[in-house]
Amino acid sequence: MSAPAGPCAKASDHDGDPLVEAIRGIDTTALDCVQVNAAVLADARHGPGTHLALGGRAAFAPRAGAGGALPTVEEPAAERIEPMGDVLGLSLVTGRPVSDGRALLDLLPEDGSPLYVVGDAFRMPWLPYHGHQHMEHSLLLRAVDGGARVEAVDAYDNETPYGRAEPVVCSYDRAQAAALFDGSPTLPVPVRGAPPARSPVSEILARNAEDGRRLLAGDAPERYAAAFRDHPDQQEACAALLLETWLLSRSRRLHAAWAAHHLPGSPVASAAAERAAAWETLAGQCYLAARRVQRGRPVPPQIHPALAELLRADAESAVRAATEHPGEAMPHEPAHVRQTVVHTVADILSASPEAVAATEDLSRLEGFASFQMVETVERLEEMYGVEFAPEDLDAAVLRSVEGLVGLVLRTTAGAEVAHA
């Protein structure tokens, strides 16, 4: 949709709202409709970038279709929510579905904190799917004005066959909000904080490599692609394959963002970005294929072998990543540290590494202010497993690539001496 209608406004129009501030720091186009609002909760509670933990694992685990149904990588929301919360540092315990709108609203915290829910997109008027398509969709509900009104916050971002979905905040009186959910089972999920499950990067890459080796040892990619190629109803098969490649493309894009965050400028991050771009291309080809078949034209024959080849290339990349990653101890050579600093700042600012490297005073770059300075420090501390001394955090040092490089080298050298 080009602009939200009725009681809804673009999320970007709400200044000072913690949930909206979290949305601004997220590439919402890399997340699906179940992940995206949990990502908002995680970043609002634990800080920017927390949601990227969802991208560490780039799995391919399709479910076999029963009774001739096509395989799918999509998991039911109820099975995803609690494990997703564990990764994000959230306790997300699913309750029983509620079909009475007033009963659902009675579960809203009185303090105005959000309730994560999964309902039917068909019933949600801010979505293009409203009145067109039934599908599971998450959102955040919270009580405002002492409970007299209810706000729905939805960070979903996607171009759909019915128009564009974009992050919104919608406000309803309590009766209007209850009516949205009457007669439609909605899954309420109370939100509580929990310690994030921070797995070491090398451990995540090793698990991805193990999955990759298992996939390369068999013919799962070819069987998966053949299921769509050989299905008797090619309109159904192409529509399903479009959704599959959309889901896989978003997961690879999120994995690339995770790699860029934890391993900036590394071969692992570069390979992940290349894989994400390849999946985006295939998803576009599948969209064209679906449109052609709707018009009675044949399916482009290259999409099925391309699908299998991409899955194999993903697996090969995962195996390589585990050997290319230097381990938990980041290299401390000045040239490597400088590359890491440059790519970290570039990632935070969404700027080119060349622009960052050529700037003597980082505060001259658009968007580099106190918040970005703090995020740079925290990212470097996390990557190198150190804590910078407060007296070393001089503003002049933090505004310079060379100053940050020197800070990392001094601190890591001191850590090595302390552990000797």
Side-chain angles (χ1 to χ4, degrees):
M1 55 187 176
S2 58
C8 299
K10 293 181 180 180
S12 56
D13 295 338
H14 286 248
D15 291 328
D17 184 327
L19 295 182
V20 171
E21 291 303 315
I23 292 172
R24 289 187 176 127
I26 296 172
D27 178 4
T28 50
T29 64
L31 295 149
D32 65 36
C33 61
V34 174
Q35 294 171 324
V36 69
N37 290 305
V40 173
L41 293 172
D43 279 23
R45 182 176 289 269
H46 297 297
T50 302
H51 74 280
L52 293 174
L54 291 172
R57 299 279 280 136
F60 171 66
R63 295 172 175 240
L70 289 159
T72 181
V73 295
E74 187 173 22
E75 298 177 83
E79 296 179 19
R80 300 175 61 191
I81 292 171
E82 292 188 27
M84 184 173 62
D86 292 341
V87 172
L88 294 174
L90 300 169
S91 174
L92 300 177
V93 180
T94 56
R96 292 187 176 184
V98 176
S99 297
D100 180 272
R102 288 174 299 177
L104 177 67
L105 299 189
D106 286 343
L107 300 176
L108 296 181
E110 293 182 0
D111 63 2
S113 57
L115 178 72
Y116 175 95
V117 304
V118 175
D120 186 353
F122 189 89
R123 301 290 299 272
M124 301 177 188
W126 59 89
L127 290 173
Y129 301 113
H130 179 242
H132 292 288
Q133 186 173 346
H134 294 280
M135 58 185 292
E136 290 183 320
H137 189 89
S138 75
L139 68 146
L140 306 176
L141 292 177
R142 61 186 177 187
V144 295
D145 296 338
R149 299 189 65 80
V150 175
E151 284 186 340
V153 180
D154 187 356
Y156 187 58
D157 195 339
N158 188 28
E159 194 69 52
T160 81
Y162 315 106
R164 180 163 184 78
E166 58 189 334
V168 293
V169 178
C170 304
S171 180
Y172 301 94
D173 66 39
R174 201 171 179 89
Q176 289 174 322
L180 294 178
F181 301 98
D182 275 337
S184 177
T186 303
L187 188 66
V189 185
V191 180
R192 298 180 181 85
R198 300 189 184 278
S199 299
V201 171
S202 57
E203 179 181 310
I204 293 171
L205 293 178
R207 291 170 64 194
N208 288 343
E210 182 180 347
D211 291 344
R213 293 188 191 96
R214 188 161 46 244
L215 184 144
L216 292 170
D219 63 350
E222 290 74 21
R223 286 187 287 106
Y224 176 72
F228 297 92
R229 182 195 65 204
D230 300 338
H231 195 270
D233 185 340
Q234 280 300 297
Q235 282 201 21
E236 178 185 344
C238 284
L241 185 56
L242 176 57
L243 175 60
E244 295 294 295
T245 53
W246 182 87
L247 290 167
L248 288 164
S249 177
R250 289 213 166 191
S251 73
R252 273 44 178 177
R253 185 169 177 173
L254 186 61
H255 179 66
W258 173 85
H261 182 88
H262 289 285
L263 301 165
S266 69
V268 173
S270 297
E274 291 174 4
R275 307 301 319 132
W279 276 102
E280 186 173 356
T281 297
L282 180 63
Q285 292 172 344
C286 289
Y287 175 73
L288 291 175
R291 293 294 297 267
R292 284 177 60 84
V293 171
Q294 286 176 352
R295 293 179 172 88
R297 297 177 181 175
V299 180
Q302 68 271 22
I303 62 171
H304 302 107
L307 174 62
E309 289 167 10
L310 271 186
L311 290 167
R312 285 199 170 274
D314 278 358
E316 291 164 356
S317 182
V319 173
R320 283 196 306 273
T323 60
E324 291 170 348
H325 177 53
E328 288 311 296
M330 293 283 284
H332 299 164
E333 297 86 359
H336 192 283
V337 172
R338 191 175 197 283
Q339 181 186 48
T340 300
V341 167
V342 165
H343 280 82
T344 299
V345 174
D347 184 54
I348 290 170
L349 298 182
S350 297
S352 72
E354 293 76 16
V356 173
T359 304
E360 292 184 5
D361 184 347
L362 297 176
S363 65
R364 296 175 184 169
L365 293 171
E366 183 178 356
F368 192 85
S370 298
F371 180 83
Q372 288 72 27
M373 196 181 294
V374 170
E375 186 174 354
T376 300
V377 167
E378 292 177 346
R379 291 265 292 268
L380 292 173
E381 287 180 326
E382 180 184 355
M383 281 186 278
Y384 286 95
V386 296
E387 183 174 336
F388 300 135
E391 60 270 20
D392 289 340
L393 300 179
D394 181 83
V397 171
L398 304 183
R399 289 199 303 265
S400 160
V401 168
E402 298 307 327
L404 289 165
V405 170
L407 177 62
V408 170
L409 292 172
R410 289 192 304 275
T411 306
T412 53
E416 289 175 354
V417 169
H419 287 91

